[in-house]
Amino acid sequence: MAADRLDVVVSAVRPKLATVVAQTLVDEEFVLIACPALAHTIGAERLRTDPVAALAHLPVVAYNSDLPIVRRYWRSEFGRRPPNPVAMTVTDLRAVLEAVIAGAGLSVLPHYIAASALETGKVVQLHHPQAAPLNTLYLAVRRGVPGNPAVTVLRDQLQQAARSWNSL
């Protein structure tokens, strides 16, 4: 983070600079999804007893070739990296969702990105963990800089709004 140039940052990584004050803003919940046609290729019993093997034939759609969200979900829920082939990477989470809807593969997305498609049945949640894997978002501001009223208002508005978000 360019702590000397930015006034407010929402970050998925907690900034650790002495010149920055960071506090938790909200937790994103992740969901593992696929289109209904791909979901029907997964054996329910195998998914329950050996989810990694049950899902291994499905390609992955991700926003980055390192699969950060998918990898985090797999490690959190299944204790290992996904063995799945990567079908495609696209640099926008909404585009990942559209590729999943089109049948390109499975993915893990923040719930708020997938919520509408889940509600309409365009995608289905493949795995239902007891507690959804989370990604914490942080609100960071420069430390010790005379208060810019616009920055203060923005920070306060984000914090107030986040209280009603619970988890995303």
Side-chain angles (χ1 to χ4, degrees):
M1 179 170 138
D4 60 335
R5 295 181 303 165
L6 302 174
D7 293 316
V8 177
V9 173
V10 175
S11 175
V13 177
R14 179 185 279 279
K16 296 180 180 174
L17 301 170
T19 57
V20 174
V21 176
Q23 56 191 174
T24 299
L25 182 63
V26 69
D27 289 321
E28 298 177 300
E29 291 185 359
F30 290 139
V31 291
L32 174 59
I33 60 169
C35 70
L38 289 181
H40 289 302
T41 69
I42 303 166
E45 178 61 22
R46 192 166 189 205
L47 183 60
R48 190 181 64 71
T49 61
D50 190 358
V52 173
L55 299 167
H57 70 285
L58 296 176
V60 170
V61 179
Y63 80 91
N64 182 299
S65 61
D66 290 336
L67 310 179
I69 296 175
V70 176
R71 191 179 67 241
R72 178 181 289 178
Y73 188 98
W74 244 256
R75 284 191 171 154
S76 170
E77 293 305 307
F78 310 133
R80 58 179 287 199
R81 292 179 59 101
N84 308 56
V86 176
M88 67 174 61
T89 58
V90 291
T91 59
D92 182 277
L93 293 178
R94 294 163 299 204
V96 170
L97 176 60
E98 291 303 318
V100 170
I101 290 169
L106 62 75
S107 194
V108 176
L109 290 171
H111 185 267
Y112 65 91
I113 297 285
S116 178
L118 284 162
E119 289 169 12
T120 60
K122 292 179 181 178
V123 298
V124 295
Q125 187 171 348
L126 300 176
H127 179 252
H128 298 273
Q130 288 183 347
L134 301 176
N135 182 50
T136 301
L137 297 179
Y138 300 94
L139 180 62
V141 296
R142 284 189 275 168
R143 181 187 306 272
V145 175
N148 175 333
V151 170
T152 301
V153 167
L154 175 60
R155 182 200 64 214
D156 292 349
Q157 289 293 318
L158 285 170
Q159 289 171 330
Q160 182 177 347
R163 287 185 201 103
S164 68
W165 297 338
N166 296 321
S167 57
L168 295 175

